[in-house]
Amino acid sequence: MTGVTEDYAPHPHIGGRVAALRALAAWRAAAPGAPRVVVLTGHSGSGRSRLLTGFLMLCDPDYRKRLPLEEMDPSTVPPELPAPAVPAPDGLTAAQVLWLLAEHYELNATSTEGVYAELAARAEPVTVVVPDVDRAGPVRAADEPARLVREVLAPLAATGTVRLLAEVPGPLATELAGSLPSGAVQVIDLDEPEWADPEGLVLHAQAALDPEFGAPELPFTVDPAVRLALGAAIGSRAGTSHLVAQLAVNCALMAPEGYDPADERHLPTSVGEALDLHARRLGADPQTLRLLLAPLALAEADGIPVQLWPRLASAIAGQDMSQAFADGMLLVGPFVQPEEAAEDGGRTLLRLFHPAVGDEVRAGLPNVRAAQTQVAMALLEAVPEQDWSRADPYVRDHIAGHTLEAGLLPQLLTDPGLFVHADPVSLRAAVEAVPTEELGPPARTYLRTAPLLTRTQAEVVLRAALLETAFMEDGLPEYADAVHGRLGLDLPWRTLWSLPVGGVDAVTVGSAPRPEGPPVPVAVLVVPAGTAGARPVGEDAGGAGSAVLVRDLVSGEDLGDVDPAHVLRPSEEERAAAPLGLSRGADYLRVWDRASEEVVAALISDTPFTAADLSPDGILLVATERGAKALRIRSADPAIAS
């Protein structure tokens, strides 16, 4: 039996799952014969997240004190040990999950290979629990759960010092378990009879109907006999799905008028049936309910703002759905829940009660790609005058996810305003999911710059500045000009020119005298001998030597007729008297105001800096493995921090 016995109290959060809890407790205790890796799976809605949450309560030293451990079956209670690492992947990329784990164990690694090597070298085993793998990733269509399993969980599972418990959807669970020797892994599939929990399912339904646990006082909830009978009927009809049981309860509680607890015809056996039965009981067309829920089924992240919901539903339906919304709150209520978005000023977002509801609604759409196309067009129309700085945060940050699934993302990736204002984590994930050959030049520039934006969590102005100089490096000056001209941002610099030449190992600013007029500001670049257009300046013992390129510091024009020997370098006194100073690290440069000691520009690079110099009048000359460029630094204003 997997349910409650007369001798022991059930887990207060789970209300059953004794067989599964015993297996998990044995894994946690590293009992003889227990596997090193456990993969927890089951269909969406089977209660696997609920089970794992309840188990983690038993693994947390502080939370254990609130549980009636002495009344519970001892075989379901793991020993008291330090809490395991729980890198929750909800909304994160596979790489972010791995670095959460590295941070938890205070690893010194600087690469993914280094993380696994350090874990493998530990003297004591480490315990890792990864819940909700199906919710990984900032963009649904990018299939981040599969990447998390293949790039993080599989290597962790193969590391002998790691004891891993992962909650993984079915096909990926099979893949993960199949990569390990049979004795090293146990699969707990909640859809299988061995792990099924019909008694716990009934207890779940009965508790959800109980006013003592928050249900409203209704005739079928306050009468214990009626409540228990209804809970038993709901549980028996729900099969192995805790979600179906909960939806049956939600529908009864949300629209109790005329509800007959003795009529089992209203009790669903699947998520789809829960939708259809609820609509018919309220006298509505089930298709209307599904169309109202469709925007939430296609939504990204934590859901959509309430004001966008009717617009998107009308776009998907191809007709005005405003009246259906006005009449349909009881209709949609059991399947929707609000979320407070703290990062968006505390506004309310709406999401579906469970991802499996979204799966059901999406499966019923005639064409998901066409629906996403309609959503994307509606979101674009919601951008005021195509000014992304004024766009709703959901539109700005998640339109890329919708257009990715619609197959339209490459067409969207031509607007510097979107590149600058969209959340770089979600936009990067969407762009990375597009084959590189389908991306245009500006999108490829964004793709190579995005790691800098996400690594530094750069704010809008710094994102714009880094993209501006990247566009110049990639020969897209019109996009750099658009960043300056259209976005209305005070950038810390303007990139004057960029030269794609390799091997620059030294740069110098200076001036070249002219027969008439003032000297010309110049940039001198030391490059390998044989570089096109360069003038040799010497040879070493092997005869290799080096050469220099002389460029106009402001325009970048080739000044090959200028003799490098005649170039005048600024004196130390001139440099010391200049208003701006320069400091340098391996992958950053900072320009600071000498008077205020405030940083006025911080330049970072995806390749190491090989040389840098700053002219007395504030032109920064830098070289990386990619080439050399000159940036005019804006005079001291509010600092730009990297």
Side-chain angles (χ1 to χ4, degrees):
M1 294 291 290
T2 61
V4 182
T5 69
E6 295 181 359
D7 298 322
Y8 299 113
H11 188 299
H13 179 76
I14 303 172
R17 297 288 191 197
V18 172
L21 282 174
R22 284 174 180 156
L24 294 177
W27 166 82
R28 181 72 175 110
R36 184 174 55 80
V37 176
V38 172
V39 179
L40 176 63
T41 191
H43 72 274
S44 184
S46 61
R48 60 182 193 243
S49 294
R50 185 185 185 92
L51 168 60
L52 192 55
T53 299
F55 176 66
L56 287 173
M57 292 176 180
L58 294 167
C59 295
D60 184 277
D62 293 328
Y63 208 101
R64 285 169 65 98
K65 299 172 183 175
R66 299 181 240 170
L67 298 175
L69 301 183
E70 67 283 352
E71 302 173 16
M72 296 172 61
D73 183 341
S75 67
T76 67
V77 179
E80 185 166 6
L81 297 167
V86 187
D90 194 353
L92 301 183
T93 64
Q96 287 175 313
V97 174
L98 182 63
W99 289 110
L100 278 181
L101 184 61
E103 182 179 352
H104 177 88
Y105 286 111
E106 300 180 340
L107 305 183
N108 296 318
T110 57
S111 66
T112 55
E113 295 79 6
V115 172
Y116 301 123
E118 283 198 43
L119 290 174
R122 293 178 76 95
E124 297 293 329
V126 297
T127 304
V128 180
V129 179
V130 183
D132 299 320
V133 167
D134 58 328
R135 302 194 184 197
V139 176
R140 180 179 52 245
D143 200 16
E144 199 68 29
R147 185 177 298 176
L148 177 60
V149 167
R150 293 163 189 162
E151 297 180 7
V152 177
L153 298 188
L156 284 176
T159 303
T161 55
V162 174
R163 301 188 59 78
L164 177 66
L165 166 59
E167 180 210 332
V168 183
L172 291 174
T174 301
E175 178 180 329
L176 178 59
S179 68
L180 297 167
S182 59
V185 61
Q186 178 180 29
V187 176
I188 299 178
D189 186 344
L190 299 184
D191 296 335
E192 296 296 326
E194 178 185 1
W195 308 105
D197 186 27
E199 298 94 338
L201 196 57
V202 168
L203 286 174
H204 176 177
Q206 291 172 338
L209 290 164
D210 195 335
E212 183 179 344
F213 298 112
E217 294 188 354
L218 299 166
F220 55 85
T221 64
V222 296
D223 184 320
V226 174
R227 180 178 70 244
L228 293 176
L230 177 58
I234 288 174
S236 66
R237 295 274 291 176
T240 62
S241 177
H242 281 257
L243 173 61
V244 171
Q246 186 62 58
L247 290 177
V249 172
N250 288 359
C251 292
L253 300 182
M254 183 69 67
E257 188 151 344
Y259 185 81
D260 182 358
D263 186 354
E264 291 195 7
R265 292 177 302 169
H266 295 312
L267 303 183
T269 60
S270 67
V271 172
E273 201 169 51
L275 290 164
D276 297 342
L277 291 176
H278 180 68
R280 293 191 183 106
R281 188 165 70 83
L282 270 59
D285 181 355
Q287 184 61 19
T288 298
L289 171 57
R290 289 168 181 262
L291 284 173
L292 293 176
L293 296 178
L296 303 181
L298 298 174
E300 295 287 339
D302 293 326
I304 60 175
V306 64
Q307 70 271 15
L308 282 177
W309 190 11
R311 177 197 287 258
L312 299 184
S314 297
I316 294 169
Q319 59 182 307
D320 185 359
M321 298 290 287
S322 55
Q323 189 58 49
F325 270 95
D327 300 336
M329 288 304 100
L330 285 181
L331 183 62
V332 300
F335 310 100
V336 175
Q337 65 183 31
E339 295 283 339
E340 293 298 321
E343 67 276 11
D344 289 336
R347 67 180 183 157
T348 300
L349 302 177
L350 297 174
R351 67 187 300 174
L352 291 175
F353 183 77
H354 191 279
V357 178
D359 294 340
E360 173 65 28
V361 172
R362 287 165 62 90
L365 291 172
N367 187 320
V368 170
R369 174 172 282 205
Q372 285 285 32
T373 298
Q374 297 305 315
V375 169
M377 295 302 103
L379 293 177
L380 275 175
E381 291 171 2
V383 180
E385 300 176 352
Q386 293 305 294
D387 181 351
W388 291 100
S389 70
R390 297 163 55 198
D392 181 278
Y394 180 86
V395 178
R396 179 193 69 210
D397 294 338
H398 299 297
I399 190 171
H402 291 281
T403 54
L404 174 64
E405 193 163 24
L408 300 174
L409 182 55
Q411 292 92 303
L412 183 69
L413 300 176
T414 59
D415 190 336
L418 177 65
F419 293 147
V420 167
H421 289 287
D423 169 47
V425 173
S426 56
L427 182 55
R428 175 188 178 184
V431 178
E432 286 180 337
V434 178
T436 305
E437 62 272 15
E438 296 180 17
L439 297 175
R444 290 197 292 271
T445 295
Y446 181 85
L447 193 58
R448 78 166 179 85
T449 310
L452 289 179
L453 309 183
T454 55
R455 188 187 84 201
T456 61
Q457 299 181 328
E459 297 295 332
V460 167
V461 171
L462 183 54
R463 291 205 294 262
L466 293 173
L467 284 165
E468 181 265 3
T469 196
F471 285 134
M472 288 294 290
E473 285 181 334
D474 291 349
L476 300 170
E478 66 276 20
Y479 283 90
D481 289 343
V483 172
H484 283 287
R486 285 177 32 210
L487 305 189
L489 299 171
D490 290 328
L491 303 191
W493 60 71
R494 175 183 284 273
T495 305
L496 301 175
W497 53 268
S498 179
L499 183 66
V501 58
V504 182
D505 58 15
V507 298
T508 304
V509 299
S511 59
R514 293 187 295 183
E516 296 181 4
V520 179
V522 299
V524 180
L525 317 177
V526 179
V527 294
T531 300
R535 181 179 292 200
V537 294
E539 295 185 355
D540 60 20
S546 60
V548 297
L549 293 169
V550 181
R551 300 290 229 183
D552 186 294
L553 184 59
V554 177
S555 69
E557 179 186 352
D558 184 9
L559 300 178
D561 58 338
V562 172
D563 186 343
H566 295 159
V567 172
L568 303 175
R569 274 67 169 177
S571 67
E572 291 303 317
E573 292 76 11
E574 288 176 304
R575 291 184 183 277
L580 300 177
L582 175 65
S583 57
R584 173 184 166 189
D587 63 350
Y588 73 87
L589 295 169
R590 291 193 178 98
V591 179
W592 42 276
D593 180 75
R594 293 183 188 275
S596 66
E597 298 186 350
E598 294 288 334
V599 174
V600 297
L603 181 63
I604 53 179
S605 174
D606 56 347
T607 57
F609 291 105
T610 57
D613 198 5
L614 180 65
S615 73
D617 61 346
I619 295 180
L620 177 63
L621 179 63
V622 299
T624 68
E625 296 172 4
R626 187 172 284 111
K629 58 186 176 181
L631 301 83
R632 185 180 295 280
I633 305 300
R634 182 165 53 88
S635 58
D637 272 338
I640 307 295
S642 65

